[in-house]
Amino acid sequence: MSERTEKRTQVADVDRSLYDFTYSEEGYERYEDGLTPDIVRAISEKKDEPQWMLEMRLAALDTYHAKEMAPNWGPSIAGLDMDHISTYVSPRTKQAKSWEDVPDDIKNTFERLGIPEAERESLAGVGAQYDSEIVYHNMREEVAKDGVVYTTIEDALHDPQWEPVVHEYFGTLIPPADHKFAALHYAVWSGGSFVYVPAGVTVEYPLQSYFRLNAEGAGQFEHTLIIVEEGADLHFIEGCSAPKYYEANLHAGAVELFVKDGARLRYSTIENWSKNMYNLNTKRARVGADAKMEWVSGSFGSHVSYLYPTTILQGARSSCEFSGITFAGATQDLDTGCKVILNGPHTTASMDTKSISKDGGCNTFRSSVVIGRRAEGARATVSCQSLMLDDISRSDTIPAMDVRNATASVGHEATIGRISDDTVLYLMSRGCTEAEARTMVVGGFANPVSKELPLEYAVEMNNLIKLEMEGAIG
Amino acid sequence: MSNQLLRVSGLSAGTEDKPILHDVSLAVGAGETHVLMGPNGAGKSTLGHVIMGDPAYQVSSGTIEFDGKDVTEDAADKRSLAGIFLSYQAPVEVPGVPLYSYLRTITQKRPELKMTARKFRARVGEIADQLDMGSSFLTRELNVGFSGGEKKKIEMLQLLLLRPKLAILDETDSGLDVDALSVVSRGIETYRADCDGALLVITHNTRILERLKVDRTHVMVQGHLVAEGPASLIDSIDEHGFEQFEKASAVAGGERA
Ligand SMILES: Nc1ncnc2c1ncn2[C@@H]1O[C@H](COP(=O)(O)OP(=O)(O)O)[C@@H](O)[C@H]1O
Ligand SMILES: [Mg+2]
């Protein structure tokens, strides 16, 4: 691996090796492929967990084995051979509080992804996970002084103050029996984040966790548990990437978000998986009265995705905004969308999604709106815009609505568009090449989502769009 | 006049199933101002588009030379970088692309316009002021939600920024109110004065020509160039309309058939 330093924010100069590099996992602790109670016990023992957690893992493993493999309504996951996915790969290193203490190969990985730089410039705290374990975790002192906790679930479980809190919340929003891969997640979960923001505290800068899956033929099963207490305010950013391998990789994380009365949580994600990845991720938020949940989601890469962040608007007048974009290129079949359940009266949800399909890529967008009986005056709008870059790609929209209160209203709108020849001519006649013109139009299409992201991430997203437009990501 | 900037020779062009331009020849020297007039549907916009390199039209015969090179086969971006500019009759809207960053991108494509970000900002601000454009224009999306007149100002902004050798203005003046018209006229004058650029002005309206010294006037009817003359030809058209030429075109068309 050469020692060139690449600047992540250099848009003009797109380098395809930016995400696509690997380090040897020699010396790493890698558990046998496949899934047995012994492996689950070994993971739990290594983490020195409370008994309840081990029991939860073993019960989840039973659930996993009991459930049917493939859903019959989405993209095929036949290429995912669980007997050949290693569920636990740990770099032999302790979690560090300083980048100095992170081993060079791993530190270089995150340097190249621009994480330490972003931490210095614009973040309140950073967690970095490499394969199955968090290798770096740190938060600004002034944030800690406010009582904000940002750590790993493992560490929280070892802290007598936080173990009962984890016990109270963990696995309650996404139960292990939710679906087969949720069960798998609870059996073998490792790493991820625990965030607690006390009542009334506003965290000025975002916290960010970055998940890097380096090992070939492995799975990543991080668990994110965030509790934003009453009237508190947090922006959490999740970044993910993996290099290209020929064997299938699996990502089955779980994200549980508790947004209490009057609180606000913004959860931003940039996922950039390699195209051998099965991304079967589950994300869910429960929102209290007068509270607000905001999702910003950019999904790039992966061979197959099943991803539908779900918001439960439980409290009166709570609200949710979702803006997301997916990009499906050659060999990709992405089944994404969002779900919202409006239970409280006068709750509002607005979901705005965009998809881009190119080179035979396939996008399916599912939206689900459920309005409960008590949800007087609830309002939900879903808008889905698809951009097709050629005739061999596919884009489908599948809306579902279940409205049980006569005073509620739901709006749905879906459009499918193409880049017009007139637009390409206009931009070319001002000096852009045809490829630049198309990339510019696609970037503009994605703009309503990228402008919701902090600047560096918006830049990264534009960069990813450029790479996808060039077909450069493996 | 051997050293022409633009030389269109014997050009016939049209869409796949419809011939539009027939044996068109026209030459514009560096720094000259030419006017192209003709009734609706004559093929004026088509000629502008074909000179710009719009792939919607196919050239069946003839050539387009620009600055000493045959550009007939070149794509629009190459022609743009060579110095051809077309101000569109109906500029397209490009959602999500901020005008300012778009301007930066198209400027950076041209080595001769290399400047620092700071200088660029000043330059754009200066032109926007000349064109009476509020600074909020620049943060908006390219042509999105702008009125017809405002879109034409954005075309002028690009013209003054890119400093092309030849500007084809396709009814840049039509549909403008008095104020916008005077702003656009000033823009054209500035282009003439600052860039010493050549102009091919497609218009129905003689007002925009009042402040320009016109070198040649061309008249197009039914895809034929039927007359060419000095600036005074404009006055004659103003008075008598195109009827006199329509007969000529019928004859030309008849001969062809
Ligand atoms: N892209 C096109 N497809 C089909 N017909 C066209 C196209 N462009 C122009 N035409 C036709 O060619 C003729 C000339 O059009 P145009 O060049 O726009 O005329 P003008 O600008 O002089 O009013 C018209 O009959 C018009 O309908
Ligand atoms: Mg016209």
Side-chain angles (χ1 to χ4, degrees):
Chain A
M1 200 61 9
S2 74
E3 279 299 320
R4 281 178 304 139
T5 49
E6 266 120 312
K7 225 176 136 59
R8 197 177 53 128
T9 46
Q10 188 84 38
V11 187
D13 183 10
V14 177
D15 188 330
R16 53 200 66 188
S17 69
L18 200 50
Y19 300 96
D20 207 8
F21 56 92
T22 60
Y23 288 100
S24 147
E25 50 174 285
E26 211 177 285
Y28 289 7
E29 189 174 355
R30 180 179 184 126
Y31 288 13
E32 264 174 63
D33 292 356
L35 273 168
T36 62
D38 283 349
I39 285 181
V40 168
R41 278 202 182 84
I43 294 172
S44 182
E45 195 170 320
K46 170 138 200 265
K47 294 183 184 295
D48 188 20
E49 287 174 348
Q51 185 64 22
W52 66 263
M53 185 59 89
L54 172 62
E55 283 164 13
M56 188 172 181
R57 285 181 186 276
L58 291 169
L61 184 66
D62 286 343
T63 308
Y64 169 77
H65 285 307
K67 281 193 182 279
E68 284 295 319
M69 178 67 178
N72 56 11
W73 45 269
S76 167
I77 54 170
L80 186 62
D81 179 358
M82 286 311 298
D83 293 336
H84 290 99
I85 294 275
S86 174
T87 52
Y88 186 83
V89 182
S90 171
R92 278 194 192 281
T93 172
K94 281 212 166 64
Q95 196 188 117
K97 259 183 121 63
S98 153
W99 286 108
E100 296 300 303
D101 301 332
V102 175
D104 279 348
D105 57 341
I106 299 177
K107 187 172 74 190
N108 288 345
T109 299
F110 288 108
E111 288 279 359
R112 293 178 69 159
L113 295 166
I115 309 300
E117 187 190 329
E119 177 182 13
R120 282 191 299 275
E121 283 166 15
S122 57
L123 297 170
V126 161
Q129 178 158 342
Y130 198 76
D131 295 332
S132 298
E133 293 288 350
I134 292 276
V135 294
Y136 172 86
H137 224 288
N138 197 22
M139 184 170 65
R140 288 188 191 182
E141 240 167 62
E142 63 267 29
V143 185
K145 278 210 190 87
D146 283 336
V148 175
V149 176
Y150 176 36
T151 179
T152 61
I153 307 241
E154 285 89 338
D155 283 351
L157 285 172
H158 289 137
D159 185 326
Q161 187 189 350
W162 296 108
E163 187 270 337
V165 178
V166 176
H167 197 172
E168 184 186 341
Y169 288 88
F170 188 89
T172 57
L173 203 46
I174 303 171
D178 210 63
H179 56 86
K180 188 174 179 81
F181 289 90
L184 173 65
H185 169 85
Y186 283 104
V188 298
W189 74 267
S190 181
S193 306
F194 172 73
V195 182
Y196 181 86
V197 186
V201 171
T202 293
V203 184
E204 295 284 347
Y205 295 95
L207 299 176
Q208 185 194 21
S209 287
Y210 199 98
F211 302 98
R212 175 73 178 178
L213 181 48
N214 179 67
E216 176 163 19
Q220 196 165 49
F221 306 95
E222 82 286 355
H223 194 97
T224 302
L225 173 58
I226 299 179
I227 302 164
V228 187
E229 289 287 6
E230 291 181 14
D233 192 308
L234 173 70
H235 182 186
F236 189 87
I237 302 169
E238 170 195 65
C240 316
S241 72
K244 182 188 173 158
Y245 285 118
Y246 293 98
E247 264 184 66
N249 275 16
L250 168 64
H251 178 233
V255 175
E256 297 185 289
L257 309 172
F258 297 87
V259 189
K260 302 295 183 68
D261 292 357
R264 185 189 80 123
L265 173 60
R266 169 171 281 228
Y267 194 89
S268 303
T269 307
I270 287 281
E271 296 188 43
N272 172 33
W273 299 112
S274 50
K275 291 183 182 161
N276 55 322
M277 177 66 82
Y278 288 80
N279 187 23
L280 312 175
N281 214 11
T282 312
K283 300 180 177 184
R284 207 162 289 173
R286 187 163 71 209
V287 188
D290 299 299
K292 184 166 192 193
M293 178 69 215
E294 301 165 1
W295 302 90
V296 184
S297 168
S299 294
F300 293 82
S302 84
H303 174 52
V304 166
S305 276
Y306 280 82
L307 181 64
Y308 324 96
T310 303
T311 311
I312 304 167
L313 295 175
Q314 199 61 32
R317 296 169 304 277
S318 58
S319 65
C320 128
E321 279 172 20
F322 181 96
S323 64
I325 188 159
T326 56
F327 196 127
T331 75
Q332 292 184 267
D333 193 345
L334 308 184
D335 203 288
T336 62
C338 58
K339 302 183 186 181
V340 60
I341 299 159
L342 298 92
N343 278 338
H346 305 291
T347 45
T348 53
S350 98
M351 286 153 277
D352 220 321
T353 68
K354 294 176 186 291
S355 73
I356 303 164
S357 318
K358 177 175 176 273
D359 296 338
C362 181
N363 266 302
T364 306
F365 173 75
R366 289 172 210 273
S367 66
S368 158
V369 176
V370 177
I371 298 191
R373 274 185 300 108
R374 294 187 308 108
E376 288 295 311
R379 276 180 291 119
T381 56
V382 185
S383 146
C384 175
Q385 288 182 284
S386 314
L387 184 63
M388 303 270 288
L389 297 182
D390 51 44
D391 293 332
I392 54 169
S393 303
R394 266 188 55 191
S395 176
D396 297 315
T397 304
I398 306 175
M401 291 172 205
D402 177 357
V403 182
R404 302 179 184 193
N405 183 304
T407 65
S409 72
V410 186
H412 182 271
E413 140 194 322
T415 57
I416 294 188
R418 288 164 194 281
I419 299 178
S420 81
D421 293 344
D422 285 351
T423 306
V424 173
L425 171 69
Y426 185 85
L427 298 172
M428 285 181 75
S429 69
R430 303 292 148 86
C432 301
T433 63
E434 182 174 350
E436 286 164 347
R438 290 182 179 279
T439 300
M440 193 182 277
V441 174
V442 172
F445 178 76
N447 184 268
V449 179
S450 58
K451 77 180 182 201
E452 294 295 323
L453 293 165
L455 184 65
E456 310 89 286
Y457 302 92
V459 167
E460 175 173 348
M461 195 165 114
N462 286 333
N463 205 359
L464 287 170
I465 288 171
K466 277 190 180 174
L467 289 166
E468 291 288 358
M469 290 301 287
E470 289 170 9
I473 301 181
Chain B
M1 286 264 242
S2 62
N3 249 343
Q4 298 292 1
L5 179 64
L6 173 73
R7 183 188 290 279
V8 176
S9 317
L11 183 76
S12 295
T15 62
E16 223 156 278
D17 36 42
K18 181 180 178 188
I20 300 173
L21 301 177
H22 309 282
D23 195 19
V24 169
S25 296
L26 149 157
V28 180
E32 289 181 356
T33 297
H34 289 227
V35 173
L36 176 60
M37 301 184 100
N40 275 332
K44 304 181 297 298
S45 293
T46 302
L47 179 59
H49 279 243
V50 171
I51 294 171
M52 192 70 246
D54 183 347
Y57 304 101
Q58 277 102 53
V59 173
S60 52
S61 63
T63 56
I64 302 164
E65 286 165 81
F66 184 75
D67 218 2
K69 288 188 201 76
D70 186 339
V71 298
T72 320
E73 300 293 320
D74 288 353
D77 57 327
K78 260 186 104 173
R79 300 190 200 195
S80 168
L81 298 181
I84 304 180
F85 183 93
L86 171 63
S87 167
Y88 289 88
Q89 193 170 348
V92 297
E93 304 194 356
V94 192
V97 174
L99 176 58
Y100 188 81
S101 63
Y102 160 76
L103 293 173
R104 184 70 174 141
T105 304
I106 60 173
T107 307
Q108 281 177 321
K109 299 291 299 180
R110 291 154 221 269
E112 74 276 13
L113 295 179
K114 222 179 176 83
M115 57 185 119
T116 62
R118 196 195 173 115
K119 216 170 148 218
F120 175 77
R121 179 166 289 276
R123 179 74 191 120
V124 169
E126 184 185 24
I127 301 170
D129 284 348
Q130 282 170 9
L131 296 171
D132 278 350
M133 298 167 79
S135 53
S136 70
F137 268 58
L138 296 168
T139 57
R140 288 173 54 181
E141 298 171 11
L142 177 54
N143 292 333
V144 177
F146 286 102
S147 71
E150 289 169 332
K151 284 180 186 162
K152 297 298 173 67
K153 285 190 186 180
I154 293 170
E155 296 290 275
M156 297 309 294
L157 171 59
Q158 294 172 69
L159 170 68
L160 294 176
L161 189 62
L162 299 182
R163 308 172 65 87
K165 295 185 182 126
L166 168 71
I168 304 165
L169 307 183
D170 190 358
E171 300 205 26
T172 300
D173 54 338
S174 61
L176 299 191
D177 62 31
V178 184
D179 291 341
L181 189 60
S182 90
V183 169
V184 165
S185 300
R186 258 190 288 140
I188 297 170
E189 277 180 80
T190 309
Y191 167 68
R192 284 286 303 117
D194 284 9
C195 313
D196 194 28
L199 276 171
L200 179 60
V201 183
I202 301 171
T203 185
H204 289 296
N205 188 337
T206 49
R207 274 205 59 169
I208 196 164
L209 305 172
E210 276 164 19
R211 300 215 288 227
L212 285 172
K213 190 190 130 317
V214 174
D215 296 296
R216 294 300 277 174
T217 302
H218 309 263
V219 180
M220 179 174 272
V221 176
Q222 290 177 12
H224 299 273
L225 278 182
V226 293
E228 180 176 344
S232 58
L233 187 54
I234 297 166
D235 302 325
S236 151
I237 291 168
D238 234 12
E239 228 171 284
H240 308 292
F242 292 112
E243 219 171 294
Q244 44 178 325
F245 306 111
E246 277 165 352
K247 289 191 196 98
S249 134
V251 172
E255 274 168 7
R256 193 166 309 278

